[in-house]
Amino acid sequence: ALAEHVYIEKKGTFRELLSTSFTFGDAALAGIYGAKAPAGGWGRIELDSARRVGPATSVGFLAATSNQKATLPIRRGVFVRENFLCQHPPPPPPGTNVETPEDDGKSTIRERLERHRSDPQCAACHAFFDPLGLALENYGAIGEWRDKDNGQAIDPSGTFDGTDLGEVWFRDGADLLKRLATSTTARDCIPQQWLRYAMG
C-alpha cells in the first residue's frame, strides 16, 4: 500500500519512498507503532519521523528479519545491502559457524557481534553488513520501539561505505535510511529489483 501510494498515486520517487514517515494499517498495527489509529479501520498511520522512516522501519520488514524472540541484525544488514544497494557479500568460508552468538541475558547483540567479528575469517564480511543491521536495533522482534537490549542502552550508531556517498556516519536507523535515500547507488538498485521482480 505504501509503495502504491508513493509511486502510483503521488507519482513519487525512490527518495520519497525511503523518506516517508507514514504507513498504512489498522488499529492493532498503529498500537505497535505507538501511533494514533486510522479512522474507519484501515488507513494511513502517521509515524514519528525521528524514529520511523520508509519501509525498512515498517513492522512487516522488521518482523520478517527477526525470529520469534529476538532481532537478527545480520539478516537485517544483509537484506539492506542486497535489496537496497544490490551488493552481495561472499558466502562464508566452509566450516564457519554462521549462527548469531547465543544470548547470555547480559550483553547486547552489538557486544556479542563484536566478539563474533574478532575472528579474522568473519571480520571483513561482518563489517560490510553488521553496522546496517545494528542501526535497526531500536526495533524489536515485531518492530516495536525499544531503548534497551538485555537492560543496556542500545547504540544504533555506526558507519557504512561502498556507495557513491563514501564513508558515512549515522546516529540511528532513521538517520541511516535518510542518508541511503540520497544515494545514487541505492536509487540505481531499485530499477534492477523491479525488473527482477517483473521477470520472475
Side-chain angles (χ1 to χ4, degrees):
L2 180 62
E4 285 181 359
H5 176 77
V6 172
Y7 283 135
I8 297 172
E9 294 174 28
K10 287 188 65 183
K11 309 294 187 205
T13 64
F14 161 77
R15 187 170 186 172
E16 287 178 72
L17 180 66
L18 249 61
S19 303
T20 58
S21 57
F22 63 88
T23 191
F24 293 90
D26 59 11
L29 197 59
I32 297 173
Y33 285 121
K36 183 179 177 182
W42 174 272
R44 181 166 164 156
I45 301 171
E46 300 298 331
L47 305 173
D48 180 349
S49 62
R51 292 185 172 184
R52 305 274 180 177
V53 180
T57 60
S58 70
V59 166
F61 168 79
L62 295 163
T65 53
S66 301
N67 64 26
Q68 294 164 329
K69 298 185 293 183
T71 62
L72 298 173
I74 294 172
R75 183 180 294 176
R76 289 177 175 180
V78 169
F79 186 99
V80 170
R81 278 286 182 189
E82 291 185 341
N83 293 283
F84 290 2
L85 298 171
C86 292
Q87 299 171 347
H88 301 274
T96 303
N97 179 6
V98 296
E99 296 299 317
T100 300
E102 190 173 340
D103 187 352
D104 58 10
K106 299 175 184 177
S107 57
T108 65
I109 186 65
R110 177 182 283 274
E111 291 169 332
R112 297 195 303 278
L113 288 178
E114 283 172 359
R115 292 196 296 268
H116 200 210
R117 290 196 307 268
S118 65
D119 183 339
Q121 279 192 313
C122 304
C125 286
H126 281 272
F128 185 65
F129 46 72
D130 281 3
L132 301 175
L134 290 168
L136 303 172
E137 270 300 287
N138 282 122
Y139 312 101
I142 61 167
E144 78 286 8
W145 181 265
R146 63 188 191 145
D147 293 305
K148 294 187 175 182
D149 179 16
N150 280 334
Q152 298 190 52
I154 291 170
D155 175 10
S157 65
T159 61
F160 73 93
D161 58 16
T163 73
D164 59 295
L165 302 176
E167 186 173 20
V168 176
W169 178 87
F170 55 86
R171 67 178 172 274
D172 56 26
D175 189 33
L176 164 69
L177 296 164
K178 288 173 185 175
R179 292 173 187 274
L180 283 180
T182 69
S183 166
T184 56
T185 305
R187 184 199 64 200
D188 293 346
C189 176
I190 296 305
Q192 291 184 50
Q193 303 293 26
W194 280 111
L195 182 61
R196 289 170 180 158
Y197 177 77
M199 298 298 289

